[in-house]
Each structure stands twice: as C-alpha cells, then as structure tokens.
Amino acid sequence: MRGKTNKKKIEKHHIEDLVGRIYMSFCVLLLIVIIVSMVYFVASKGLANFISGRVSLSDFLFGTKWAPEADTPSFGALPFISGSFLVTLLAALIASPLSICAALFMTEIVPGWGKKLLQPVIELLSGIPSVVYGFVGLSVIVPFLRDTFPGQGIGVAAGALVLSVMILPTITSVAADALASLPQNLKESSFALGATRWQTISRVILPTTMPAIMTGVVLGMARAFGEALAVQMVIGNAPFVPRSLFESASTLTSVITLSMGNTTLGSTLNNALWSMALVLMLMTFVFVLLVRMLERRNKI
Amino acid sequence: MQFRKSWIMALALTSVVALSACGNSNNAATNNGGNNAAATNTPTESSSGADLSGSILASGSTALQPLVELAAESFMDANSGVDIQVQGGGSGTGLTQVSEGQVDIGNSDVFAEEKLKDADAAKAEALVDHQVAVVAIAAVSNPDAGVDSLTKQQLVDIFTGKITNWSEVGGTDQAIQIINRPSSSGTRATFEAFALGTKTEDLQGSVQEDSSGTVKKMIGETPGAIGYLALSYLDDTIKTINYDGVEPSVDNVVSGDYPVWAYQHMYTNGEPNEVVKAFLDYMLTDEVQNGDVVELGYIPASAMQVSRDVEGNVTAK
C-alpha cells in the first residue's frame, strides 16, 4: 500500500514537471517561430526589389529623389533615413538632460516625496496613446513654432519635441533604477572626503552610472526611431532632406504609414516600403546590440 | 556549451518551420488581421432564394468605408441571416485582398487598372467593377488667401512651384504653402488627373497628410495654405476655390460641368455570388443612393448625367 501511494506521488510530481516543461518549451518555440518568420517575411519583401533588379541598393540607400508615381519612378530613401536619424538624435538630446535630472531628483535630492510625486507623473506619460501626442503636437507645438520661428511650424523640430516627451519616461525610469542601485558606500565615502552634494553627483554618481543611463538613452532612441503616428502628424512628410529644422521632412515610419494602405502588394512601391521596414528592423537590432554592449560595460 | 548547442538546434528547427510555412505567411501577414475571418467567410448558399444567409467581408478605401458600413447595417437589419464586415486599410489593400480572394469586396477610390499595373494587369482584368457613388474634390485655401477662383493653369503653376505667392494670382501678399496628399493617394491621383491634367512632383517644403480631417485642420490654421478636399469636408474654416470659374457643387458635378470627381468602386473577384450580389444591388437602390449616399456627402452614381471610363473619357449618359 505505502509503496503504491509513494509511486503515485512521484508520478504526479513527474507529470507536473513534464507538463510545465512542455508548456514552457512550446511557448519559447512559438516565440522563436514568430520572430524568425517575421524577420524572414520582412526581409523577403524588403529585398525583393533589389533581387529583381528593379531598384538598386545604392540608389535606395543614397538616392535623394523619391518619386514613386512619376513616369520614371525613383526610389531614393535617403530623405527618410536621414529624417529618422535627425528626429531621433534631436529627441534624445532634448530628453536626456531632462530625464537624468528628473532621475537624480527622485533618487538623490528628495528620495521621499520627490519619488512619490514625480514617478507616477512621468510613468503616466508612457501610457498616453501616440495619437494623443500627435494631436497635441499639431494643436499646440506646431502653432507655437509657426509663430516663433520662420516656416510653417511643422518639421523636424516639431517631431523631435513631441518625441522627446514620449521617450522621457523610458530614459527616466532606467536612469532612476541605475541610480538607486548604486552602492551607498560610494556616496558615503565621497561625502566623508568633504565633497559637496553637487561634487558627489557630478564626479562620483554620474560617471559610475553613465553606462546604465546610456542604456536608457539608447532604449529611448529605439522607441523614438520606431514611433510612427505622432511624428507623421507633425513632421509634414515632404520626401526631402530638410534644409532647416522648421521645414517639412519625413521619417521611415511616416512614409510607411502614409503610403502602405494605398499600394498593392507586390508593386515596386510596396516592396520599397518593405525595404524601409527592413531598415527600421536592422536599426532596432543595432540599438539592441548597443544596449547589450553598454550592459556589459556596466558590469565591469 | 551544451546549452548553446540546443539553442542553435531550436533556431535551425524553427527557421525550417518558418521557411516551409512561408507560402502561407505571404497571405497571412499582409492581411490586417482580418484573414482568419475571411477564411471562414465563404457564404453558405441558401436553399430558397427569398431569405439570404451568409457573410460578406469588405475592405479597402477609408473614404468609402463609412458609406458601406451604413448601408451594411440597414441591409443586415432587413436580412438577419447576413453578416457584413467592413474594414479599412486603403484602396491598394482592398484591391490586393479582393484579387487574392481574402475578402469578398474590395473598396477603391480609383479604377483597379490604375493600381494593378504591369505584372498585375491580369489581376485587374479578373475584377468586376461596381460603381456605387461619386466623390468630387475641390481646391481649398486658407480663408485669408483672398482668392475666389483659379484657372487650371494657375493651379498647375501653384502645384509645380512656379507660383509661390498668392499676390501672383490676385490674392493677398502671402507665401503659398501646399498641403498635399502622398503620391500614392487616390485623392491626389484624381485631383492631378482631372484638375491639373498632369502629374506633379513633390516640392521641397510641401506638406503631405493622409487623412482629410488633418488636411482640413492644417489648411484652416496655416496662413497661405492650399490643398484639396472632398466636397463633404467643406465648411467655413476653409475657402472653397472655383475651378475655371465653375463652383464645385453637387449640381455642377452631376451635370458634368465640374470635372474633378471620381467614382467610388466596389470590386468583386469575378461575378459576385448570390449574397454579395444582393448587397451590391442594394447599394444601387434608390433607398441607399438617395439616402445614405447623399447623407454622407457623396454624390449618387445613379444621378450622374455623364459617365467616365478608365482612360478618363467623359460621355453623356
């Protein structure tokens, strides 16, 4: 009798183990299948134009003329690629100092009520849908820029401003986590040596946590690079490399959302849009690699 | 080391699976989530002709979507056995999906021949056109521009960048800001074909917006802005510009005096089945043509005194 129940117990235990294992492997496998097939799909569509020779790779990457419906169509995507980088870098330049200061404020200056008040407010920003950002940008930022600067208000500056608000929460939360995980004794020894709070922050805390903070910045840039709707509403979408920050420009995402629905599958224009999607994906991959590298540096 | 090996194995395995499934994924991933519904949507033939049952899936032009949705609702009220779903996605998506059999009806702003060209021309031939409404497009400007009417040549010069100030066409001294549509847009194709008579290239500094609502908002707010909108979007926040002295009104479109208009098409792949045909016939009844169509700001296709073919030749009916 006792032997039998013992055996049953072990069996149940084993079955649980097996079920858990199968379920886990199934989920992981499904995930891998999804990712691999997605990469394959975008790559096969994105490379179709280059393989069939309808568009040459160098014309696509470095051509500045985008005229897909002209009698002699040309598919230069440089305006979109440069627009994406310009907007992303500017947004990161605007958002990083703000986020790092907010993170310092929450963790170093007033860790008590500062964190309690500021953190939910900043996290709220990440929950706002991007169409709301776009509409606020169109109704507030664009008229403001139009009245203050030459030009029509729309353009890279408006796009970067909208994006910088959108990526604030990403950078802030990563930076705040990094600052909070800094060993207390580093700060204490700095204070013990007679350093002021500012000296401690600028010479000890920030240099030590910089790789982790940069991780946040890169994650924020990845988000900015992929954001479509809000940018599309305020940037103007002219397929040109802009001559000023207040002139209509385009990003990879904005031209994809603008044209994808109007094109038929398999047409050269449609495939060119897929090529841009591929560029976007490769860039995301680069961002991920960057984060990995920064994380590794952070450990040393 | 062993761990890494198993990962490589898993990756290799999944890529094989993904590759072998790629024939299907071509269809699956391009359909904006409506694919599964379409697969189960083969309408069931009803035994008696009187009460219809089955389901219809339509996708495509967002300009036509509200009309089809409204008509579908009243059609479903009258025929409880029929289920109609209408999705957006754009004219190109609608045409692609209907020619691949993923949907029953593909809604489009333009003739299928204009989108499915060259290698895809055969696909366009297989599609059957049902013209359900007409949309007219008017040139509009910011109210402060001070211009009531523009000739065809003036419009061409503005949209090709030869005229850059409103004072050159008798308006106020104000730089012209073009609010355009993306070059793939059906609205832009219609405006270029019938108002300008020529394709235009994008100009540096011009603005491109996709949705009519955004275009209208930007023209109303931006000093010196010019653009074009469907008649149903016109109101006091923007100024409607007469074309060669002709006012863009429903009467002028119907009589053929105002040339900037296009059909709204509902394409089926081959002749439609019973349920789809019943719905398309319903779209052309007076109830819909003089009701929903007019209510939503379209012009009834049945009222038109002229007709136009793919090449743009206009003939009196």
Side-chain angles (χ1 to χ4, degrees):
Chain A
M1 269 303 266
R2 229 178 69 189
K4 216 177 181 182
T5 46
N6 244 355
K7 206 179 166 193
K8 225 179 188 176
K9 244 184 196 166
I10 293 163
E11 266 176 5
K12 197 185 167 207
H13 182 80
H14 271 285
I15 288 169
E16 271 179 4
D17 205 36
L18 196 71
V19 168
R21 207 186 157 124
I22 290 172
Y23 179 70
M24 186 89 97
S25 334
F26 174 76
C27 288
V28 171
L29 214 68
L30 188 72
L31 211 67
I32 296 172
V33 168
I34 290 172
I35 293 168
V36 170
S37 49
M38 197 149 154
V39 171
Y40 172 79
F41 181 74
V42 175
S44 69
K45 288 262 157 210
L47 294 174
N49 269 348
F50 309 126
I51 292 168
S52 69
R54 279 188 282 191
V55 180
S56 85
L57 184 63
S58 63
D59 281 354
F60 178 78
L61 288 178
F62 304 112
T64 53
K65 192 167 188 284
W66 174 258
E69 301 283 320
D71 294 328
T72 46
S74 74
F75 296 92
L78 188 67
F80 311 118
I81 297 172
S82 61
S84 276
F85 275 104
L86 212 58
V87 170
T88 304
L89 287 174
L90 262 179
L93 276 179
I94 300 168
S96 302
L98 290 175
S99 312
I100 294 170
C101 287
L104 281 171
F105 185 81
M106 289 193 303
T107 52
E108 304 298 329
I109 318 274
V110 257
W113 64 264
K115 190 160 186 154
K116 259 184 212 142
L117 184 82
L118 211 56
Q119 192 142 27
V121 173
I122 290 177
E123 274 164 7
L124 185 75
L125 287 177
S126 65
I128 298 174
S130 57
V131 66
V132 176
Y133 280 107
F135 211 69
V136 170
L138 199 59
S139 311
V140 180
I141 294 178
V142 169
F144 168 75
L145 291 176
R146 181 163 57 222
D147 296 340
T148 325
F149 297 99
Q152 297 294 356
I154 43 146
V156 171
L161 279 173
V162 169
L163 278 179
S164 63
V165 183
M166 293 183 77
I167 65 175
L168 267 178
T170 313
I171 306 182
T172 309
S173 56
V174 174
D177 284 349
L179 290 170
S181 67
L182 194 73
Q184 201 65 25
N185 54 16
L186 268 178
K187 261 183 290 176
E188 278 158 7
S189 9
S190 172
F191 286 134
L193 286 169
T196 62
R197 184 144 78 173
W198 174 245
Q199 283 169 333
T200 307
I201 289 174
S202 65
R203 311 242 172 104
V204 177
I205 295 173
L206 278 182
T208 354
T209 49
M210 202 33 95
I213 291 174
M214 285 311 290
T215 307
V217 174
V218 173
L219 283 174
M221 284 171 72
R223 164 132 205 243
F225 205 78
E227 173 52 42
L229 195 61
V231 181
Q232 188 219 305
M233 288 172 81
V234 298
I235 199 164
N237 305 310
F240 292 97
V241 180
R243 293 168 297 196
S244 87
L245 291 181
F246 307 103
E247 191 181 81
S248 178
S250 290
T251 64
L252 290 165
T253 49
S254 77
V255 69
I256 293 175
T257 51
L258 214 55
S259 306
M260 195 56 109
N262 293 327
T263 60
T264 51
L265 196 71
S267 60
T268 315
L269 172 54
N270 189 274
N271 282 339
L273 295 175
W274 282 107
S275 306
M276 291 188 209
L278 185 63
V279 173
L280 274 171
M281 217 157 74
L282 291 177
M283 275 314 299
T284 317
F285 190 61
V286 169
F287 283 128
V288 170
L289 280 182
L290 261 176
V291 169
R292 284 288 155 118
M293 258 168 57
L294 285 166
E295 270 173 358
R296 202 165 296 162
R297 236 187 88 192
N298 198 18
K299 267 176 205 148
I300 298 166
Chain B
M1 201 58 212
Q2 206 181 9
F3 189 65
R4 178 175 282 178
K5 219 180 215 168
S6 65
W7 271 102
I8 292 169
M9 279 288 285
L11 262 174
L13 194 81
T14 47
S15 14
V16 168
V17 173
L19 282 172
S20 62
C22 74
N24 295 330
S25 75
N26 266 346
N27 292 335
T30 52
N31 192 325
N32 302 333
N35 198 30
N36 295 335
T40 56
N41 254 336
T42 31
T44 46
E45 294 291 327
S46 55
S47 46
S48 66
D51 51 343
L52 293 159
S53 70
S55 56
I56 303 174
L57 187 64
S59 79
S61 163
T62 45
L64 188 52
Q65 192 179 1
L67 172 62
V68 181
E69 274 172 355
L70 201 62
E73 260 171 46
S74 44
F75 187 76
M76 284 190 284
D77 285 343
N79 301 279
S80 54
V82 180
D83 176 48
I84 305 176
Q85 278 189 46
V86 188
Q87 298 170 350
S91 301
T93 308
L95 289 169
T96 307
Q97 292 187 339
V98 73
S99 69
E100 286 180 354
Q102 292 168 2
V103 296
D104 303 298
I105 300 172
N107 300 326
S108 173
D109 301 340
V110 294
F111 280 99
E113 287 84 349
E114 294 172 47
K115 283 279 174 198
L116 296 163
K117 287 181 286 202
D118 308 326
D120 293 330
K123 283 187 195 164
E125 244 166 68
L127 297 179
V128 179
D129 191 4
H130 308 268
Q131 296 164 353
V132 294
V134 164
V135 165
I137 296 160
V140 292
S141 75
N142 185 275
D144 300 331
V147 168
D148 291 327
S149 182
L150 289 170
T151 64
K152 180 178 179 177
Q153 191 54 47
Q154 283 173 330
L155 275 175
V156 171
D157 289 346
I158 287 172
F159 278 91
T160 52
K162 282 193 199 111
I163 292 178
T164 55
N165 196 300
W166 283 107
S167 62
E168 292 173 63
V169 289
T172 50
D173 182 21
Q174 171 75 50
I176 295 176
Q177 172 66 45
I178 298 171
I179 314 276
N180 220 331
R181 306 292 177 111
S183 50
S184 54
S185 144
T187 310
R188 175 159 168 183
T190 305
F191 186 75
E192 288 184 345
F194 303 114
L196 306 180
T198 172
K199 277 186 180 171
T200 58
E201 288 189 3
D202 294 314
L203 299 171
Q204 179 123 29
S206 71
V207 175
Q208 292 186 7
E209 289 296 341
D210 197 21
S211 76
S212 301
T214 314
V215 169
K216 183 176 148 190
K217 183 175 158 64
M218 292 200 88
I219 293 176
E221 289 174 357
T222 311
I226 187 170
Y228 40 89
L229 283 168
L231 292 194
S232 51
Y233 283 93
L234 304 183
D235 65 16
D236 294 341
T237 61
I238 47 182
K239 172 132 187 68
T240 310
I241 297 174
N242 293 351
Y243 177 76
D244 272 338
V246 181
E247 190 199 345
S249 66
V250 173
D251 291 341
N252 284 337
V253 175
V254 167
S255 67
D257 292 329
Y258 184 79
V260 194
W261 55 269
Y263 289 114
Q264 298 291 301
H265 311 260
M266 291 173 77
Y267 278 100
T268 53
N269 198 350
E271 286 302 326
N273 65 39
E274 190 188 9
V275 184
V276 176
K277 187 170 184 338
F279 177 57
L280 289 171
D281 287 344
Y282 174 71
M283 290 289 304
L284 291 172
T285 56
D286 285 346
E287 186 191 343
V288 175
Q289 291 286 311
N290 298 329
D292 296 343
V293 170
V294 177
E295 209 172 285
L296 290 175
Y298 305 85
I299 299 166
S302 56
M304 292 298 290
Q305 289 161 15
V306 290
S307 67
R308 186 192 271 153
D309 63 12
V310 187
E311 275 86 39
N313 303 314
V314 177
T315 47
K317 259 189 196 169

